[in-house]
C-alpha cells in the first residue's frame, strides 16, 4: 500500500511508533487550516485502516482523541464528521473567551495549548443524556413550572439537590434552604451585597487564592484581606488576628495549592466563626473529582449556621450552563432571596428542570464517574511528562481537582511576578500557563497553575515539553 487519497497520507511517512498520534496530528492540522471543513465526513475506520495498512484500533483511537478535543463527532448511522473550529464573523477579530481569569490581551490568541485552570473537558458534555432529559421535561413540565416561580429556584431541582448533596457531600439541607444561582460568581455577588448592607467592609481570602473570586468580591464592595495558606490550609490564627468577620475558603481542595484544610484548622475555623459572629463562605468548586484520597466532608455539614455553602455544575457539566446553588445560614436566607429576586427574578426554569431529571435518573452521577476516570488518566499523563521534562519542579495538588500546581523552590529569592515573565516566555512556545503570582496578594515562591482537564494525554506531554523549552 503506497498511500491514500485522504490528506495524501502515506504509511512510509509514518513513524515506527506513535501511529495514532501521527494520524491525529495530521487530521487536526487539516481541520485547523481549513482543508477539512465542518460537516466533512472522515473515512470509515476499516477503510482507512486498510488503505494505510495499519490496525483499525489505530484509526479508532485517533478519531477518539479528536472527538475528545471537540474537533469531530461520531454518531451512529452518520459516521465521524468534522465539527470544525470557531471562526470570526464578517472578517471581524474574534474576542478571546474571558475564562476564569482575564489574561493579558492577545495571550489566548497566541496559545496553541491553553492550560488555564478551571476549564473542564467541554467535549465530554453529556449531550445525549441532556437531550433525552430536556425532551422529557418539555413533554411533562406544567405551565406553572415554566413561569417566574420561586426566586429560590425550581422546587424539583432544590429537592434533588438536597438529596444529592446529602449523599455526596454530607450536607444536611432541606429544599427550602437552597437558593439556585447562576454559578458561584452570583452566589458571591449576592453574599457581598447582603454583607455590605449589614455593615461589613472586608472579607478574609486565602493567599494564594482564586483571583477571580477575589475580584468578584472587590467589585461588589468587599475588600479582600489576604490570609496565608500553608500545607494545612488557611492560617486560622492569622485570620483571628484580622478584623474580618467573614472568610472565603476552598477547604476541600484549596485553589490553587490543592491542600486540604487540616482537621484542627477546621475546628479552629468553626470556633473563630462562632466567637466572632462571623460567616464562612465555602466554595466547593471541584469536590467531585478526587483520585487518590477519600472525599473530604463539606464544612457546612458540621455547622450549617456558620457556613454559606456554594457549588455549581461548572466543572461537572460546563461553565456555560450557569447553574449553581447557595445554601446560606438561616439568618441570611430571606435577605439573599430578596437580593436574588431583585437581580433577575430567578434563574432560567428549563435548565433547572433538566438538571433535576439528570440527578433523579442517576445519569449525572454516571457522567461524573466517566469524567473522573478520564481526568485521572490526563492527570497521570501530565505528571509523567513533568517528571520527564521538568524534574526540578515541585508538583502539588495532584490528589483531586482539574489542575495542579508546580513551583520552583530554587527561585524563591526572585522578585515578585518573576513567574509572570516566565509565563510570557513560555507563551512564545505556544503554551499558555497561569503564573502563581496572579493568584497571590503577597510575594511568594514562583510557580504555574496548570489545568489539564481539556487536553488529551499526548497534548499534555507536548505542553510539558514546550514549558521546559521556555524555561531559563
Amino acid at each position: 500500500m503506497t498511500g491514500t487519497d485522504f490528506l495524501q497520507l502515506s504509511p512510509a511517512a509514518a513513524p515506527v511508533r506513535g501511529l495514532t498520534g501521527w494520524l491525529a496530528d495530521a487530521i487536526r492540522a487539516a481541520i485547523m487550516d481549513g482543508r477539512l471543513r465542518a460537516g466533512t465526513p472522515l473515512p470509515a475506520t476499516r477503510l482507512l485502516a486498510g488503505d494505510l495498512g495499519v490496525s483499525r484500533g489505530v484509526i479508532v483511537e485517533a478519531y477518539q482523541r479528536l472527538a475528545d478535543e471537540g474537533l469531530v463527532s461520531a454518531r451512529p448511522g452518520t459516521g465521524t464528521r468534522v465539527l470544525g473550529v470557531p471562526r470570526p464573523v464578517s472578517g471581524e477579530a474574534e474576542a478571546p473567551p474571558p475564562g476564569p481569569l482575564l489574561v493579558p490581551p492577545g495571550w489566548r490568541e497566541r496559545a496553541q495549548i491553553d492550560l488555564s485552570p478551571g476549564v473542564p473537558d467541554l467535549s465530554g458534555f453529556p449531550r445525549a443524556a441532556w437531550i433525552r432529559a430536556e425532551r422529557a421535561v418539555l413533554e411533562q413540565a406544567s405551565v406553572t413550572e415554566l413561569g417566574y416561580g420561586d426566586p429560590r429556584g425550581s422546587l424539583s431541582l432544590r429537592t434533588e439537590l438536597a438529596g444529592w448533596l446529602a449523599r455526596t457531600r454530607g450536607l444536611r439541607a432541606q429544599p427550602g434552604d437552597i437558593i439556585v444561582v447562576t454559578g458561584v460568581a452570583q452566589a458571591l455577588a449576592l453574599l457581598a451585597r447582603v454583607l455590605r448592607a449589614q455593615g461589613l467592609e472586608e472579607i478574609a481570602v486565602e493567599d494564594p487564592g482564586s483571583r477571580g473570586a477575589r475580584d468578584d468580591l472587590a467589585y461588589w464592595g468587599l475588600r479582600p484581606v489576604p490570609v496565608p495558606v500553608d500545607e494545612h490550609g488557611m492560617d486560622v490564627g492569622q485570620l483571628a488576628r484580622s478584623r474580618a468577620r467573614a472568610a472565603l475558603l476552598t477547604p476541600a481542595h484549596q485553589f490553587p495549592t490543592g491542600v486540604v484544610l487540616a482537621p484542627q484548622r477546621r475546628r479552629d475555623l468553626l470556633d473563630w466563626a462562632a466567637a466572632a459572629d462571623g460567616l464562612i463562605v465555602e466554595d466547593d468548586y471541584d469536590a467531585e473529582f478526587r483520585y487518590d484520597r477519600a472525599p473530604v466532608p463539606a464544612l457546612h455539614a458540621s455547622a450549617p449556621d456558620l457556613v454559606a455553602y456554594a457549588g455549581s455544575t461548572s466543572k461537572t457539566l460546563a461553565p456555560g450552563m450557569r447553574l449553581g446553588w447557595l445554601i446560606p445560614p438561616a439568618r441570611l436566607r430571606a435577605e439573599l432571596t430578596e437580593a436574588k429576586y431583585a437581580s433577575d427574578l430567578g434563574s432560567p426554569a428549563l435548565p433547572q428542570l433538566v438538571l433535576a431529571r439528570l440527578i433523579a435518573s442517576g445519569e449525572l452521577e454516571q457522567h461524573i464517574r466517566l469524567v473522573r476516570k478520564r481526568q485521572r488518566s490526563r492527570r497521570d499523563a501530565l505528571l509523567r511528562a513533568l517528571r520527564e521534562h521538568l524534574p526540578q519542579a515541585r508538583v502539588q495538588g495532584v490528589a483531586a481537582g482539574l489542575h495542579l500546581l508546580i513551583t520552583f523552590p530554587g527561585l524563591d529569592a526572585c522578585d515578585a511576578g518573576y513567574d509572570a515573565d516566565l509565563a510570557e516566555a513560555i507563551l512564545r512556545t505556544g503554551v499558555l500557563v497561569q503564573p502563581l503570582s496572579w493568584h497571590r496578594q503577597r510575594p511568594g515562591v514562583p510557580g504555574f497553575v496548570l489545568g489539564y482537564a481539556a487536553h488529551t494525554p499526548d497534548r499534555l506531554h507536548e505542553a510539558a515539553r514546550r514549558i521546559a523549552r521556555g524555561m531559563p
Side-chain angles (χ1 to χ4, degrees), residues 202-221:
E202 55 189 22
I203 182 170
V205 296
E206 298 165 317
D207 189 27
S210 169
R211 168 77 175 273
R214 192 170 76 232
D215 288 349
D216 281 346
L217 291 167
Y219 180 86
W220 293 107

Side-chain angles (χ1 to χ4, degrees), residues 161-242:
L161 282 173
W164 166 260
L165 293 171
R167 296 191 302 272
T168 61
R169 304 298 295 127
L171 268 64
R172 296 174 290 149
Q174 299 301 315
D177 302 332
I178 300 172
I179 302 172
V180 177
V181 292
T182 54
V184 172
Q186 187 181 45
L188 295 180
L190 297 176
L191 285 165
R193 288 167 61 182
V194 169
L195 293 176
R196 283 285 294 154
Q198 294 182 351
L200 271 68
E201 297 181 351
E202 55 189 22
I203 182 170
V205 296
E206 298 165 317
D207 189 27
S210 169
R211 168 77 175 273
R214 192 170 76 232
D215 288 349
D216 281 346
L217 291 167
Y219 180 86
W220 293 107
L222 285 180
R223 183 172 66 86
V225 176
V227 177
V229 169
D230 59 23
E231 67 273 18
H232 303 296
M234 178 182 274
D235 185 337
V236 181
Q238 290 211 32
L239 168 63
R241 289 189 289 274
S242 74

Side-chain angles (χ1 to χ4, degrees), residues 93-99 102-110:
E94 183 180 27
L102 186 62
V103 300
W107 277 37
R108 289 191 188 278
E109 296 91 330
R110 294 163 58 192

Side-chain angles (χ1 to χ4, degrees), residues 47 52 85 94 96 102 105-106 139 181 193 211 295 428 433 444 467:
L47 291 177
L52 292 175
V85 292
E94 183 180 27
L102 186 62
E139 290 174 350
V181 292
R193 288 167 61 182
R211 168 77 175 273
R428 288 194 283 272
V433 298
I467 292 171

Side-chain angles (χ1 to χ4, degrees), residues 129-441:
W130 186 273
I131 290 171
R132 285 195 302 271
E134 188 170 84
R135 184 178 297 115
V137 165
L138 288 172
E139 290 174 350
Q140 301 170 15
S142 67
V143 173
T144 302
E145 286 179 308
L146 297 177
Y148 284 114
D150 192 321
R152 292 173 299 176
S154 158
L155 178 58
S156 62
L157 176 56
R158 289 184 287 122
T159 300
E160 294 300 335
L161 282 173
W164 166 260
L165 293 171
R167 296 191 302 272
T168 61
R169 304 298 295 127
L171 268 64
R172 296 174 290 149
Q174 299 301 315
D177 302 332
I178 300 172
I179 302 172
V180 177
V181 292
T182 54
V184 172
Q186 187 181 45
L188 295 180
L190 297 176
L191 285 165
R193 288 167 61 182
V194 169
L195 293 176
R196 283 285 294 154
Q198 294 182 351
L200 271 68
E201 297 181 351
E202 55 189 22
I203 182 170
V205 296
E206 298 165 317
D207 189 27
S210 169
R211 168 77 175 273
R214 192 170 76 232
D215 288 349
D216 281 346
L217 291 167
Y219 180 86
W220 293 107
L222 285 180
R223 183 172 66 86
V225 176
V227 177
V229 169
D230 59 23
E231 67 273 18
H232 303 296
M234 178 182 274
D235 185 337
V236 181
Q238 290 211 32
L239 168 63
R241 289 189 289 274
S242 74
R243 296 181 303 170
R245 289 178 44 224
L248 170 65
L249 291 88
T250 50
H253 184 238
Q254 200 276 329
F255 183 89
T257 67
V259 301
V260 177
L261 189 65
Q264 185 59 52
R265 294 273 178 95
R266 289 170 68 98
R267 291 190 289 271
D268 292 344
L269 180 65
L270 295 175
D271 289 345
W272 164 82
D277 189 25
L279 176 70
I280 301 165
V281 181
E282 179 177 15
D283 181 359
D284 207 24
Y285 68 103
D286 67 357
E288 296 86 358
F289 299 108
R290 55 190 182 277
Y291 315 114
D292 303 324
R293 60 167 171 78
V296 179
L299 274 173
H300 187 277
S302 301
D305 293 336
L306 301 175
V307 179
Y309 177 91
S312 79
T313 63
S314 291
K315 307 298 183 289
T316 53
L317 290 175
M321 300 310 298
R322 308 314 302 142
L323 281 169
W325 43 88
L326 173 63
I327 309 178
R331 68 182 188 274
L332 298 177
R333 196 177 303 136
E335 291 175 86
L336 287 165
T337 301
E338 183 179 354
K340 169 65 175 172
Y341 180 77
S343 296
D344 54 19
L345 304 183
S347 296
L350 186 58
Q352 293 185 65
L353 298 173
V354 175
L355 178 59
R357 191 172 186 90
L358 288 177
I359 297 173
S361 67
E363 289 187 280
L364 178 64
E365 188 171 355
Q366 180 182 6
H367 167 71
I368 291 173
R369 286 200 302 269
L370 290 172
V371 172
R372 186 185 296 139
K373 181 179 179 182
R374 182 186 306 162
Q375 302 307 356
R376 179 170 187 159
S377 70
R378 294 181 177 188
R379 179 209 62 172
D380 292 347
L382 182 55
L383 286 175
R384 289 193 298 270
L386 291 173
R387 283 195 293 267
E388 177 182 350
H389 296 290
L390 284 167
Q392 75 276 24
R394 179 190 177 200
V395 184
Q396 301 172 240
V398 301
L402 303 178
H403 74 274
L404 53 79
L405 172 67
I406 60 173
T407 56
F408 305 94
L411 302 177
D412 58 356
C414 296
D415 293 336
Y418 176 66
D419 51 9
D421 295 334
L422 291 177
E424 190 164 9
I426 290 169
L427 183 62
R428 288 194 283 272
T429 74
V431 178
L432 181 98
V433 298
Q434 282 194 6
L436 179 57
S437 60
W438 284 1
H439 298 283
R440 289 189 183 279
Q441 291 182 264

